[in-house]
Amino acid sequence: LHPRRLRERGFNQSLELAKGIAGHLHIEISTGCCSRPVYTQPQTGKDAKQRKRNIKGAFLFNNQEQYRHVAIFDDVITTGSTVSELARIIKKSGVPRVDVWSIARADKHF
């Protein structure tokens, strides 16, 4: 979540959900390796092509820990543009396995 969006919302809904799941599964959450330094317009109301273009280049991933397996957690997946872009950046940093976990998949009616 970009810092500006975090200030607007007051919390990171995906992180809060992930904390509960990670605690139940006894797995570590690392938030320091991934950042979203580029502010983008909200994805809501955009079609799949617009979403992909909007999110391109928005993330950075520092694989200083030499992760071999990373799970991305997104609360709701609509077109998959956000998680696809983040997974691309993570794999580019040398992580061989990237999973995507989500609570919900939105219906694509656009």
Side-chain angles (χ1 to χ4, degrees):
L1 197 60
H2 187 273
R4 178 174 161 187
R5 187 91 21 85
L6 181 59
R7 280 192 307 276
E8 291 169 2
R9 287 187 185 157
F11 66 100
N12 180 334
Q13 71 278 9
S14 289
L15 179 58
E16 295 306 314
L17 290 166
K19 283 179 184 177
I21 293 167
H24 182 74
L25 297 175
H26 307 288
I27 57 176
E28 175 188 346
I29 292 180
S30 177
T31 58
C33 57
C34 184
S35 64
R36 188 169 178 171
V38 177
Y39 180 80
T40 60
Q41 293 299 313
Q43 297 283 67
T44 307
K46 293 179 174 24
D47 64 28
K49 189 175 182 179
Q50 292 168 326
R51 285 171 179 252
K52 187 174 182 178
R53 187 173 46 246
N54 186 51
I55 204 70
K56 183 81 170 161
F59 299 105
L60 292 176
F61 186 81
N62 179 345
N63 196 13
Q64 186 173 350
E65 299 293 325
Q66 297 299 304
Y67 292 110
R68 306 294 300 149
H69 181 191
V70 170
I72 300 169
F73 186 88
D74 195 359
D75 58 342
V76 178
I77 295 175
T78 305
T79 62
S81 297
T82 302
V83 292
S84 292
E85 176 65 7
L86 183 51
R88 185 183 72 77
I89 296 300
I90 293 170
K91 288 187 86 58
K92 190 175 177 181
S93 78
V95 177
R97 179 175 172 186
V98 179
D99 295 342
V100 175
W101 296 5
S102 182
I103 296 293
R105 171 86 181 172
D107 231 356
K108 294 189 265 184
H109 291 295
F110 35 89

